[in-house]
Amino acid sequence: MSGTEAERQRTWRPDWPCSVTGPLRPLRRGAGDPTFRIDDAGQVWRGTRTPEGPATLRVGSAPSDGEVRASAWGPGADWVLDSLPGLLGAHDDWSGFEPRHPVLEEARRRHPHLRTGRTGLVMEALVPAIIEQKVTGQEAFAGFRMLVHRFGERAPGPGRDLKLWVQPDAATLRTIPSWEWLRMHVDHARSRTIVTVARVADSLERLAGLDGQEAERRLRSLPGVGEWTSAEVRQRALGDPDAVSFGDYHVAKDVGWALTGTPFDDEEMRAYLEPWRPHRGRVPLLIGVAGLHRPRRGPRMAPRTHLPARVTRG
């Protein structure tokens, strides 16, 4: 094993009962995400690209000791270990949030230690969010898998044996020809947006240090990046508690159903959530962890039938 792949370790003792899978599970893009694994011991493995290079991160908890134990490999190992507290929600501040509704009060009572993490990695969140625009989850996750397998790289250290991958870097994204995007069932509009954001990737990564409103303004100034995509990025990269995925197929309906008994549309949800600003995103989060969603009686949105078969490589 090369020097850059020597194992680095960190033991961290949070001041609350810290869940590992809770803050990290939203980073997984479907059950087959090649950059994310949960092993038999409940440890989370991630292949990630940091400002210092690719890294493999393994995170597990020792509840009896109140500790989180992490190991990392690759050029970005020190970066991911330094970022571990934020990744698991150490910077998430619930002060000022008022449940205002019995459903939310009960959800908060049952999940008092719920935290939202932040990766600090904008492109890592932005590229799959663009792929997920206006398509079914099945189609989006398949496209993301193919992108990573064809143009990404194996994660360093033991990530290779786990078949863990790292997303392609911005330089690679800029060189992918249009016909390759189509083979990954990513249409011209979305592939054009990805190539556009890849050209300004360095500037976008600096958004991780901004507040949510300014990050949203700059993200939405990019052609093809709208309100939903911006919120998805801010939730994961910044841990923005005010980010709400307006435009999602289910969120507004579920919020309305859970809190009023009647599904909302986006504008109804926008008006209803206004009293919770700057914590609006916590409302759908609590509804989600409580398992509350309207009955799915209608037909599901069908995937398109021209999708190519899943493509993998060794």
Side-chain angles (χ1 to χ4, degrees):
M1 181 177 292
S2 68
T4 58
E5 294 183 1
E7 181 179 359
R8 306 284 195 270
Q9 295 181 341
R10 177 174 184 178
T11 298
W12 174 57
R13 185 181 290 274
D15 59 6
W16 78 96
C18 179
S19 165
V20 168
T21 55
L24 297 184
R25 197 178 295 276
L27 304 180
R28 182 167 68 172
R29 304 291 180 162
D33 184 345
T35 71
F36 192 105
R37 297 280 188 275
I38 299 178
D39 66 20
D40 292 340
Q43 300 177 114
V44 176
W45 293 75
R46 293 191 71 225
T48 187
R49 187 175 302 282
T50 79
E52 297 176 3
T56 294
L57 174 66
R58 180 184 65 200
V59 187
S61 61
S64 60
D65 299 328
E67 293 179 344
V68 172
R69 297 169 184 169
S71 297
W73 296 261
D78 290 337
W79 192 95
V80 293
L81 292 178
D82 288 344
S83 304
L84 182 67
L87 186 67
L88 296 178
H91 307 305
D92 189 22
D93 183 5
W94 282 71
S95 62
F97 174 77
E98 297 179 11
R100 300 173 181 268
H101 191 287
V103 167
L104 301 179
E105 289 172 357
E106 178 64 11
R108 184 63 177 150
R109 186 187 68 80
R110 290 178 176 271
H111 302 275
H113 304 298
L114 181 65
R115 297 286 185 104
T116 298
R118 67 185 191 194
T119 66
L121 299 170
V122 173
M123 284 293 291
E124 179 184 87
L126 181 55
V127 171
I130 294 169
I131 292 175
E132 292 170 16
Q133 291 174 349
K134 299 179 182 179
V135 295
T136 65
Q138 176 187 348
E139 184 174 350
F141 298 150
F144 179 68
R145 286 196 304 267
M146 286 187 280
L147 173 67
V148 173
H149 284 142
R150 290 182 181 179
F151 298 100
E153 61 186 280
R154 280 290 174 83
R160 291 190 180 91
D161 295 333
L162 285 173
K163 296 183 171 59
L164 198 66
W165 291 76
V166 177
Q167 288 190 42
D169 61 17
T172 300
L173 292 171
R174 294 193 293 265
T175 65
I176 300 175
S178 59
W179 60 86
E180 287 286 358
W181 288 109
L182 291 174
R183 289 182 63 193
M184 296 181 287
H185 57 81
V186 178
D187 58 36
H188 288 304
R190 288 178 290 149
S191 65
R192 184 168 56 246
T193 299
I194 292 173
V195 172
T196 296
V197 301
R199 291 180 181 135
V200 293
D202 290 344
S203 297
L204 289 176
E205 294 299 350
R206 291 195 285 272
L207 300 185
L210 301 178
D211 65 72
Q213 283 189 328
E214 180 61 18
E216 179 182 27
R217 185 186 69 79
R218 297 192 189 189
L219 282 167
R220 294 184 64 184
S221 71
L222 298 165
V225 176
E227 186 174 32
W228 179 88
T229 305
S230 169
E232 292 287 304
V233 173
R234 285 156 40 227
Q235 289 164 12
R236 293 168 174 82
L238 281 67
D240 181 359
D242 203 48
V244 179
S245 298
F246 294 107
D248 189 273
Y249 188 71
H250 296 294
V251 171
K253 297 179 179 67
D254 288 346
V255 168
W257 180 85
L259 300 184
T260 72
T262 302
F264 286 157
D265 61 25
D266 273 345
E267 293 312 308
E268 289 169 331
M269 179 172 69
R270 193 186 308 278
Y272 192 86
L273 293 183
E274 189 60 28
W276 280 279
R277 187 187 291 271
H279 295 276
R280 293 177 298 168
R282 302 201 191 279
V283 175
L285 175 64
L286 285 169
I287 289 170
V289 298
L292 301 175
H293 57 79
R294 76 196 191 288
R296 309 288 201 246
R297 295 194 182 94
R300 298 182 64 182
M301 181 179 177
R304 290 174 284 182
T305 57
H306 65 275
L307 303 186
R310 176 176 175 174
V311 175
T312 61
R313 70 177 187 217

